Every structure is written in C-alpha cells, then in structure tokens.
Amino acid sequence: MFIKKRLLFFLLLFVAANQLQAQSVQISKEELIALTPEWKGERFPDGRPKVPDDIIRRMKPVTIEEAWAILSGAGYRYQIADGWGQIINPDSVLVGRAYTTTFMPGRPDVWKAIDSMGKKEGRLSQNVWAVEQLTKGDVYVADQFGAKKNGPTIGDRVGTAIYTKTGNGIVYDGALRDVEGLKEIGGFTSFYTSYDPSYHNPGVGQSRDLTTMIVGINQPTRIRTVTVMPGDVVLGKLGVVVFIPPHLAEQVATTSEIVRLRDMFGHQRLKEGKYTAGQIDARWSDEIEKDFSKWLNDHINELPVPKEQIQKYLKDRTW
C-alpha cells in the first residue's frame, strides 16, 4: 500500500510539472474562455474573443465620449487609459483586437525558470514571444511597468515585425527605442510612455543587468488604471486609449452610428429653419422622429454609415 501511494504521488507530481511546463507564461484556451464568459461569438484557436472585422471597421469613427457613455452605463467605469507621454501618428486612429503581454522587473531565478520553459517550447528572446503569435488586426498591448533605462523591448526591427503581422501599432506602457525608425513605418499608430536609446537586459544573465522578464501572454493585464483582456477592442485617438469588452463592441459601434445620423439630421433641419434649437436639443416629438426616418430612407445611399445598418435600424424602429 505504501509503495502504491508513493507511485501515485510521483505520478501526480509528474503530471502537474508537465502541465506547468506546457502552459509556461501563456494562458490556456480553457482558462481564457472561462475568463470571458460574456462573449458568445467566434474565437481564435487560442480562445481569444474574435470581434468581427465589420465591427472593427465600424469602430473607427466612434468618439471617446460615445464609447465612454456605453461602457460606463454597463458598469465598466475604468476602461480609458490616458496620460501617454508619446504617440506615433497622433492624428490617426488605432483600432484592433488586443493581444496582451505582461512584463515585470527582472529577477534572476524567476527569469531563468521562465526562459528555460520557453526554450523547451522552441522560443528565443523573451521580447518577441508574444510578437511571433500576432495576427492581422491585432493590437500588441504590453504592460512594460513603465520601464525606461535598459527597458525597451521594441525597436524598429521588432516594430516592423509587429506591423507586418498586424497592420497595426501598439499600446505600450514603457520606453521604446529607434522611434525615428518606427515613425517611418507609416501606419504604426502607437501609444507609449517614453523614449530611451537603451535596450532590455544588456548582458543578459548578469543579475546587475537583468531589467525585464515576460510573465504573461494573452492573459489579463493592466494598462494605466484599466484591466485589459485579450480580445478587447482597442480604440486609440485624441491622446487616449479605450479598451472595449468584446460583448459590448457592437453596441458601442451601433449607438455611435445612430448618434452620428441624428446629429447630421438635426444640424440640417436647424440650418433649414424647419425646427428650433429647443425642439432639436430636447427629446424629439413623434413628428420629428418620423421626419428623421423619412430622411434616412431618402439619403440612405449618401450617409456615412453602412446601408445595411441603416436598414436594420429602420426595421427595428416602432413606427
């Protein structure tokens, strides 16, 4: 009996060790699905929510205020990250699905354990572990704990790899290097904390130089005061970044489109003198609502909202 118990103990220990090694710093598909239960749509093979491309495209014109109103109303009050020291292409809009990475200050024993697990999985330098898994439409979102001197894990080479894979820039709480080269990429719209010409872990293996280590891929991470989940829709514009939970993305896009159309209609009718400012600025009467519906139908091919979305909106109205 004693021998059997010993054998069972070592068997369980072996299985646990293999599971830990297999997971390394990357969350499992099952864990990620369990952490994002509100999302009922398609997922990537790794379990990350895959908000449809159509909604991603429709998200670009959404204003920060419109996104904030929907998120706040749904109880998500801490989804906006501001205070960015630097932005590449500040007049452009960053939109895509979050692929998260978390770094922490280097600690020799932990760094060695993580690196050993990574090598067994065929991984090379830790700063590109997540980069190698990016897909088109992703936004690389990294908590680099604001690291500056000997902290940058991204320069123009890694930045080019990210842009080639995703067609997007990054949200990066830390220092970048080679910023002049990154700006030459063109569409690499990015939010980052600072610039430094150094690079992470110079002379790696020497404890005095070990500054960063990767501790999480595709896991929940923190950017400023926001908890960011893999698959969140990233909307970066006007110096701030909004992280929209996947299950609220369509509602945000649709509400924004309706607000945009109502504003266009209201402005036009005010210029025409058909209604007063008091009528347009207050809750609309049934007469104005019916006029709005007719206006939508009459201009359906000219408006800056997809025709099919307008048709759906008209179908769902009560008159």
Side-chain angles (χ1 to χ4, degrees):
M1 181 65 70
F2 175 75
I3 294 175
K4 287 183 178 179
K5 286 184 177 180
R6 295 272 293 181
L7 288 173
L8 179 60
F9 170 76
F10 284 116
L11 177 61
L12 292 173
L13 188 64
F14 175 76
V15 170
N18 277 334
Q19 287 178 338
L20 178 61
Q21 176 179 312
Q23 290 177 8
S24 184
V25 297
Q26 186 155 352
I27 197 171
S28 70
K29 176 180 179 179
E30 293 71 24
E31 289 172 319
L32 185 49
I33 291 174
L35 285 172
T36 53
E38 298 293 328
W39 175 249
K40 308 302 181 184
E42 184 182 357
R43 293 177 181 267
F44 287 96
D46 58 16
R48 188 165 49 115
K50 186 178 182 182
V51 174
D53 291 340
D54 175 60
I55 294 178
I56 298 295
R57 285 192 294 269
R58 291 166 55 197
M59 195 66 68
K60 196 169 186 178
V62 172
T63 69
I64 301 300
E65 290 77 11
E66 290 163 352
W68 174 84
I70 295 298
L71 299 180
S72 181
Y76 294 77
R77 303 185 186 280
Y78 303 98
Q79 297 303 122
I80 297 180
D82 58 9
W84 296 99
Q86 306 285 341
I87 303 173
I88 296 175
N89 299 331
D91 295 326
S92 297
V93 179
L94 176 63
V95 179
R97 306 176 190 90
Y99 195 100
T100 60
T101 306
T102 304
F103 291 85
M104 291 183 70
R107 171 174 161 152
D109 56 343
V110 180
W111 179 91
K112 184 177 180 180
I114 292 172
D115 210 57
S116 296
M117 287 188 288
K119 286 178 179 176
K120 290 177 182 178
E121 297 169 0
R123 302 179 189 268
L124 298 176
S125 179
Q126 291 185 17
N127 68 310
V128 296
W129 284 8
V131 172
E132 291 168 345
Q133 300 177 75
L134 295 170
T135 61
K136 191 62 69 176
D138 285 346
V139 175
Y140 182 78
V141 178
D143 177 8
Q144 185 70 11
F145 60 92
K148 187 173 173 64
K149 183 175 175 57
N150 294 339
T153 59
I154 296 177
D156 54 3
R157 292 178 182 176
V158 175
T160 298
I162 291 173
Y163 184 72
T164 300
K165 284 178 170 288
T166 68
N168 263 329
I170 63 177
V171 178
Y172 186 86
D173 187 8
L176 296 182
R177 68 190 310 267
D178 302 324
V179 171
E180 288 181 285
L182 291 171
K183 288 181 176 180
E184 292 177 1
I185 295 175
F188 194 70
T189 299
S190 298
F191 295 74
Y192 63 105
T193 303
S194 61
Y195 161 77
D196 199 85
S198 62
Y199 56 91
H200 76 120
N201 298 346
V204 69
Q206 304 173 39
S207 60
R208 67 179 185 277
D209 293 323
L210 188 60
T211 51
T212 67
M213 60 184 182
I214 193 167
V215 297
I217 296 176
N218 227 18
Q219 298 194 28
T221 195
R222 180 180 65 85
I223 299 294
R224 300 291 192 268
T225 59
V226 182
T227 295
V228 184
M229 292 297 296
D232 279 356
V233 176
V234 180
L235 175 62
K237 58 169 53 176
L238 299 178
V240 302
V241 182
V242 186
F243 296 95
I244 302 167
H247 62 282
L248 294 176
E250 184 171 10
Q251 182 182 355
V252 169
T254 300
T255 301
S256 172
E257 289 167 346
I258 294 171
V259 170
R260 208 174 312 139
L261 293 171
R262 291 173 77 88
D263 283 347
M264 288 182 65
F265 168 80
H267 294 163
Q268 181 175 328
R269 289 295 189 253
L270 285 170
K271 291 175 182 177
E272 294 168 350
K274 184 169 184 177
Y275 305 117
T276 67
Q279 289 175 299
I280 291 297
D281 202 38
R283 181 182 178 85
W284 289 359
S285 65
D286 288 352
E287 177 190 353
I288 296 178
E289 290 287 1
K290 290 176 182 177
D291 187 22
F292 176 52
S293 293
K294 183 177 184 305
W295 179 83
L296 289 175
N297 263 316
D298 292 345
H299 300 84
I300 196 166
N301 294 314
E302 310 162 14
L303 298 170
V305 171
K307 180 178 179 179
E308 57 273 18
Q309 297 303 321
I310 297 175
Q311 289 172 331
K312 184 177 185 302
Y313 171 66
L314 288 169
K315 181 180 179 182
D316 293 341
R317 284 172 69 81
T318 56
W319 45 65

